[in-house]
Amino acid sequence: MEHILEDVRRDILPGLTHWQSPRFFAFFPMNASSAGLAGEMLSVGLNVVPFVWAASPAAAELESVVVDWMARLFGLPRRFLFYSGGGGVLQGSTCEAVVCTLAAARDRALGRLGGHEAIARLVVYASDQTHATFQKGARLVGIPPSNFRVIRTSAASGYGLTAEAVRAAVDHDVGLGLVPLYLCATVGTTGLGAVDHVRELGEEARRHGMWVHLDAAYAGSAAICPDFQDYLDGAELADSVSMNPHKWFLTNMDCCCLWVARPRDLTSALSTDPEYLKNVGADDDGAGKAPAAIDYKDWQISMTRRFRAIKLWVILRRYGAAGMRAHIRRHVAAAKWFEQRVAADERFEVVVPRRFSLVCFRLAPRSGRDDDATNHVNRDLLAAVNASGRAFMTHFVVDGKFVIRLAVGGASTELQHVMEVWDLLQGKAAEVLQHYVKPNGL
Amino acid sequence: MEHILEDVRRDILPGLTHWQSPRFFAFFPMNASSAGLAGEMLSVGLNVVPFVWAASPAAAELESVVVDWMARLFGLPRRFLFYSGGGGVLQGSTCEAVVCTLAAARDRALGRLGGHEAIARLVVYASDQTHATFQKGARLVGIPPSNFRVIRTSAASGYGLTAEAVRAAVDHDVGLGLVPLYLCATVGTTGLGAVDHVRELGEEARRHGMWVHLDAAYAGSAAICPDFQDYLDGAELADSVSMNPHKWFLTNMDCCCLWVARPRDLTSALSTDPEYLKNVGADDDGAGKAPAAIDYKDWQISMTRRFRAIKLWVILRRYGAAGMRAHIRRHVAAAKWFEQRVAADERFEVVVPRRFSLVCFRLAPRSGRDDDATNHVNRDLLAAVNASGRAFMTHFVVDGKFVIRLAVGGASTELQHVMEVWDLLQGKAAEVLQHYVKPNGL
C-alpha cells in the first residue's frame, strides 16, 4: 500500500483539479468535511445494500428519518414528509432525481391519456437558465427532443422564469394539440444563481395539470437559515423537490435529497418485484415486515444503492443546525464582501445581483456598451487568474456577455481566501487592461 | 464523534443485515476489501468530480486506463478497448448501464426510422431469467411496457436463452410491423447463475440490427481466470458489456464497468454542452485539451460523478491478477464442495448445475414429483436457517420450484464457513422434515 500511495502522490495528485482547495471557486464547489468522511467510511466499511427493506432494515429506516429531518430543517411543506403521506430518498445526483420524476410524471400522464403513443405529445418546460440535466433527462425518458421548451429569461426578472412566459409557451403548445407535462423551477441556477418564481410557476403549472419539480441543488442548502427559506415559498405547489447536500452541505459525494408529495407516483413508474427480491424475513402475508417498510429500489433508477443515510446522519449529528447555519453564513458573508468590492471598483461590474454565495461579475465595457473586446478582455482575465494557479474560477455567458463566476463554497474557504482572490483579480485586471489599451483603445 | 459512533453501535448496527459477514450467502454478496476501503477513502477525501476532463484530468485519464486494464484482464474483445476505438466507463450500477445503452440503441434506431413516433414500435428482448432491471430500464427510456418480451427458458438449456426462442419472438414481432431494438444476454443470471449462449444470440440479433448488451454483472469477475473466459465467447458480437466489480471483485460499492464498441452511440444519446461546462483550460480551438480527452458526463446518466477509478486502480495494484484469481477460485472451490455434499445427500438435490459460486438446491420431493408440500418444506428450511442467525440465504422460484440459493462471495468467506452452513442445513433439514412427516406423510 505504501508503494501505491507513493504513486498516487507522484503520478495522480499533480494531475487533479483540487476541488478541496480553499481557492477553488469554479462550477459549484462540492464541499466535504471530516464528518462526511467518517460517514462515508461507515457506509463503505459496512458496505450494506439497502435496496429492499429486509436487505438492511436500519439503513432503510434511517434514510426515511434523515430525509424527514432535512425537509424540516429546510422548512419544506409538510406534504413532502413521510408522516404526512409524502416522503424522500437519497440518490446520487439531481440528474437521477430528474429522470425519476420525469418518468413518474410521464407515466401518470400516459395513464390519463390512455395510450403509450401519447408520449410524442408530451412537453417539458424549462428556462434558458435551467440545468442541462433536465433536457438530458427528458430525452432519456423518451420525450421527443423537439418537445423540450427552453423559455427565455431576461435581466428584468433577474433571469428567473416567469409564469407569463410559461403561459405563452403552454398556450401555444396546447393550441397545437400537445400536452404540457412537466415544469422545472430552479432556486439558484448554475450559471447565475438566479431564482425562479416558485409560487407563480406552481400556480400556472397546476392550471395545466403539469408536474412541477423544484430544483434547489445548490441553493437549497441555504434554506437551513430561516432567512433564506423565503426563496422556497410556493414549494407546496410542487410535486417534487431536490437539493444536493454534496454541493454546499459539507457532505462528501454523492448525496442528493429527493422529496415527492405522492410516493405512489414515483414507485408506480419505478417498481419491480422479481422473485429473488421478495422480502425475506417477511412472512407471506407480510406480517414480518414493518408496516411502513420501504423498498428504496422502487424510489430510484438503480436497484443497488449505497448507505448514504448514515453519512448524512453523521453530518447532521456532528454539526447540527447551528453549525450548518454558521457554515452557510460564512460563505454568504464572504461572497457579499467580494460583491461589494467589485461594485466599488469602477473597472468592474456585478452582472446579476448576488443572492447566495455566487458572484457573477466582469470587467465593465469601456465603451459603455457590450462588445467583443469586453468579452475578450474578460476571457483573458479569467485565463490569467486560472493560469496563476492561485485560484480556479469558471465562466458563464448570458445575453452575449462573458461573465466570470466566483462560487464560494469550499469547506475550508474563509474570507481571507476571497480577499486574496480579489487582490489577484485586481493585479491581473491591470495587466490585461494594459494589454488591451494598445490594439483597440479599449 | 465518540457519542455518534456509540449511537451507531447501539442503535444502528443491530438493525443492519450484515453483508460483510462471512456467513452472508444471500442475493449476490457485495464483497469489500481493505484496498477497496483505502481506494474509497482516497476518492471520498479528494472529493473531485471528473465530469468533464478539465474538472480533474488525471481522474478522467485514470478511468480510461483502468477500464482498458479490466477489459484486457477479462479477455474482452479488442473492440471494447479505447485504443481500438471502443471504450469504457465506471458507473454506479448495471441499472444505469442498462438505461444508457437502451437510450443509445433507441436513438440510433429512431435516427434510422426517421421519427420519434417510431418509439412505440421498438421491442426489447430478454429471458425470464434476465435481471428485472432491464424491464425497468426499457420502461424508463420510453419503450412501451407492452413491447418488452420475456422469453421463456427451460431446464433443457440450463435456463439459458436460446437463439431459436429469440428468432420465434422476433419473427412474430416483425410480422406485426414492430422493430427489434435490443437484446440482453446474461452470463450468470441472478436467480440461478444461468448462462445465455452469447455467440448464438449475437448472431441472431445481428440479423435484425439489434443492439446486444452482455450483462455479466456477477459472473464477469470470474473471467479474471482464463478458464472462465469461455463463457464470454461471442462477446465481439455485442455492442456493450457490463460487469460489477462491486459484486465479486473485492470492490466496495459502488462500481460497474460498462464497455461499448462505439462510444459515439452512447455520447450521441447522452451528451450535453452548456456554457458553464465548457472545458476551461482548453483554448477555444481545443489546443489545451488532450487529444483524447473524455468528458465522462456524456457516458452516463448523471453529470456529477465520483472518482471511482482510483478505487479500482488501488484494488488492481494491491491484489493483482494473481491475487484476484486466487480469490475467485477459493469461492468457486467452496461452492463446488457444497454442491458435491448436496448431490451426495439423498434428501437434497441440486436444481441447476453450478457454474460459478452460486449453488441452487432444495430438499427433493419425497413423492418423486413437484408438489406444494416440497415448496413448503423448503420455505420452512430457509426460514429456519435464517432465523438461526448463523447464516443468511435467499430463495428463487423456477418452474414452480422453491429453490434455496447459496451464493458464496463474501470477502471473508472461507471453505470453513460453507462447511458450517452445510452442518446447519442438515440439522435444520432434519427438524423441518420431521415436522412435515406427520401432517402429510411427506
Side-chain angles (χ1 to χ4, degrees), chain A residues 106-422:
Chain A
R106 178 200 64 193
D107 287 1
R108 191 177 72 175
L110 292 179
R112 209 169 48 209
L113 295 168
H116 197 272
E117 289 69 22
I119 196 169
R121 289 163 51 212
L122 303 177
V123 186
V124 175
Y125 301 85
S127 90
D128 55 4
Q129 301 301 315
T130 303
H131 196 282
T133 199
F134 284 86
Q135 190 154 11
K136 180 171 176 172
R139 192 171 164 194
L140 261 173
V141 303
I143 307 299
S146 57
N147 286 8
F148 188 84
R149 301 282 171 267
V150 178
I151 302 172
R152 283 206 65 173
T153 59
S154 69
S157 65
Y159 300 99
L161 183 60
T162 63
E164 198 186 335
V166 171
R167 192 177 313 132
V170 168
D171 286 349
H172 182 256
D173 287 329
V174 170
L176 295 173
L178 299 175
V179 180
L181 176 71
Y182 186 105
L183 171 68
C184 174
T186 307
V187 171
T189 63
T190 303
L192 302 170
V195 173
D196 292 341
H197 307 173
V198 181
R199 177 169 300 284
E200 199 183 295
L201 292 176
E203 285 166 357
E204 184 60 32
R206 285 217 165 177
R207 263 195 281 282
H208 307 283
M210 271 195 275
W211 183 292
V212 179
H213 181 77
L214 171 49
D215 170 18
Y218 149 67
S221 292
I224 189 85
C225 307
D227 36 318
F228 280 109
Q229 291 182 1
D230 284 353
Y231 287 116
L232 301 178
D233 177 58
E236 73 275 13
L237 299 171
D239 296 273
S240 49
V241 181
S242 61
M243 63 81 61
N244 293 351
H246 67 209
K247 278 205 167 67
W248 198 15
F249 207 71
L250 296 174
T251 306
N252 303 51
M253 283 192 297
D254 52 7
C255 192
C256 168
C257 296
L258 168 66
W259 295 274
V260 289
R262 290 173 307 278
R264 187 80 199 150
D265 286 341
L266 199 63
T267 58
S268 292
L270 301 172
S271 73
T272 52
D273 201 17
E275 189 63 37
Y276 48 80
L277 295 183
K278 292 270 197 300
N279 255 324
V280 280
D283 297 336
D284 282 351
D285 60 357
K289 193 169 167 179
I294 293 174
D295 290 343
Y296 267 121
K297 72 175 173 60
D298 297 336
W299 289 60
Q300 61 174 34
I301 296 171
S302 295
M303 307 260 179
T304 303
R305 56 204 315 278
R306 303 170 70 239
F307 188 8
R308 296 188 183 95
I310 200 165
K311 171 172 59 179
L312 195 48
W313 177 83
V314 169
I315 289 164
L316 288 169
R317 289 286 308 276
R318 178 68 186 79
Y319 303 122
M324 278 295 178
R325 284 180 194 128
H327 152 75
I328 295 289
R329 287 188 171 127
R330 179 166 56 85
H331 285 162
V332 172
K336 196 171 178 179
W337 180 91
F338 184 85
E339 182 190 33
Q340 287 167 345
R341 289 303 162 289
V342 169
D345 186 320
E346 60 181 12
R347 296 170 302 172
F348 287 90
E349 68 177 12
V350 175
V351 179
V352 288
R354 174 204 54 79
R355 296 181 193 259
F356 307 101
S357 66
L358 170 67
V359 185
C360 296
F361 66 99
R362 63 170 182 167
L363 285 165
R366 290 284 175 110
S367 59
R369 56 185 176 78
D370 285 312
D371 52 24
D372 285 351
T374 307
N375 282 348
H376 274 294
V377 75
N378 277 290
R379 196 180 286 273
D380 285 355
L381 172 60
L382 177 61
V385 166
N386 288 343
S388 76
R390 289 164 59 202
F392 184 35
M393 287 184 273
T394 47
H395 77 281
F396 190 60
V397 173
V398 63
D399 291 341
K401 301 175 191 171
F402 184 96
V403 177
I404 304 176
R405 298 168 71 261
L406 182 94
V408 181
S412 56
T413 301
E414 304 280 350
L415 177 57
Q416 166 213 336
H417 302 105
V418 174
M419 289 174 163
E420 285 167 14
V421 87
W422 176 235

Side-chain angles (χ1 to χ4, degrees), chain A residues 1 3-5 7-8 11-13 15-20 27 30-32 35-38 40-42 44-49 51-52 54-59 62 92-93 95-96 99 103 106-107 116-117 119-120 130-133 136 139-145 190-191 246-247 251-254 268-272 274-278 280 284 297-298 300-308 310 313-314 317-318 379 382 386 392-397, chain B residues 1 3-5 7-8 11-13 15-20 27 30-32 35-38 40-42 44-49 51-52 54-59 62 92-93 95-96 99 103 106-107 116-117 119-120 130-133 136 139-145 190-191 246-247 251-254 268-272 274-278 280 284 297-298 300-308 310 313-314 317-318 379 382 386 392-397:
Chain A
M1 276 305 297
H3 290 283
I4 296 171
L5 291 175
D7 289 353
V8 170
D11 298 330
I12 298 179
L13 291 189
L16 294 179
T17 301
H18 303 292
W19 285 69
Q20 298 313 311
F27 310 112
M30 306 289 259
N31 63 33
L37 181 66
E40 268 291 343
M41 283 175 65
L42 283 167
V44 170
L46 293 168
N47 213 47
V48 301
V49 194
F51 68 131
V52 289
S56 255
L62 189 67
S93 67
C95 316
E96 292 171 42
V99 167
R106 178 200 64 193
D107 287 1
H116 197 272
E117 289 69 22
I119 196 169
T130 303
H131 196 282
T133 199
K136 180 171 176 172
R139 192 171 164 194
L140 261 173
V141 303
I143 307 299
T190 303
H246 67 209
K247 278 205 167 67
T251 306
N252 303 51
M253 283 192 297
D254 52 7
S268 292
L270 301 172
S271 73
T272 52
E275 189 63 37
Y276 48 80
L277 295 183
K278 292 270 197 300
V280 280
D284 282 351
K297 72 175 173 60
D298 297 336
Q300 61 174 34
I301 296 171
S302 295
M303 307 260 179
T304 303
R305 56 204 315 278
R306 303 170 70 239
F307 188 8
R308 296 188 183 95
I310 200 165
W313 177 83
V314 169
R317 289 286 308 276
R318 178 68 186 79
R379 196 180 286 273
L382 177 61
N386 288 343
F392 184 35
M393 287 184 273
T394 47
H395 77 281
F396 190 60
V397 173
Chain B
M1 276 304 298
H3 290 283
I4 296 171
L5 291 175
D7 289 352
V8 170
D11 297 331
I12 298 179
L13 290 189
L16 294 179
T17 300
H18 304 291
W19 285 69
Q20 298 314 310
F27 310 113
M30 306 289 260
N31 62 34
L37 182 67
E40 268 290 343
M41 283 175 65
L42 284 167
V44 170
L46 293 169
N47 213 45
V48 301
V49 193
F51 68 130
V52 289
S56 255
L62 189 66
S93 67
C95 315
E96 291 171 43
V99 167
R106 178 200 64 192
D107 287 359
H116 197 273
E117 290 69 23
I119 196 170
T130 303
H131 197 281
T133 198
K136 179 171 176 171
R139 191 171 164 194
L140 262 171
V141 303
I143 308 298
T190 304
H246 67 208
K247 279 207 167 65
T251 306
N252 302 51
M253 284 193 297
D254 51 6
S268 293
L270 301 172
S271 73
T272 52
E275 189 63 37
Y276 48 79
L277 297 184
K278 291 272 198 298
V280 280
D284 281 352
K297 72 175 175 60
D298 297 335
Q300 60 174 36
I301 296 171
S302 296
M303 306 261 180
T304 305
R305 56 202 315 278
R306 303 170 69 237
F307 188 7
R308 294 189 184 96
I310 200 165
W313 177 83
V314 169
R317 290 285 307 277
R318 177 69 186 79
R379 195 179 286 273
L382 177 61
N386 288 343
F392 184 36
M393 288 184 273
T394 47
H395 77 281
F396 189 60
V397 173

Side-chain angles (χ1 to χ4, degrees), chain B residues 190-235:
Chain B
T190 304
L192 302 169
V195 173
D196 293 341
H197 308 171
V198 180
R199 177 169 301 284
E200 200 183 296
L201 292 176
E203 285 166 357
E204 184 60 32
R206 286 217 163 176
R207 263 195 281 281
H208 307 283
M210 271 194 276
W211 183 291
V212 179
H213 181 77
L214 171 49
D215 169 19
Y218 149 68
S221 292
I224 189 84
C225 307
D227 36 320
F228 280 109
Q229 291 182 1
D230 284 353
Y231 287 116
L232 301 178
D233 177 58

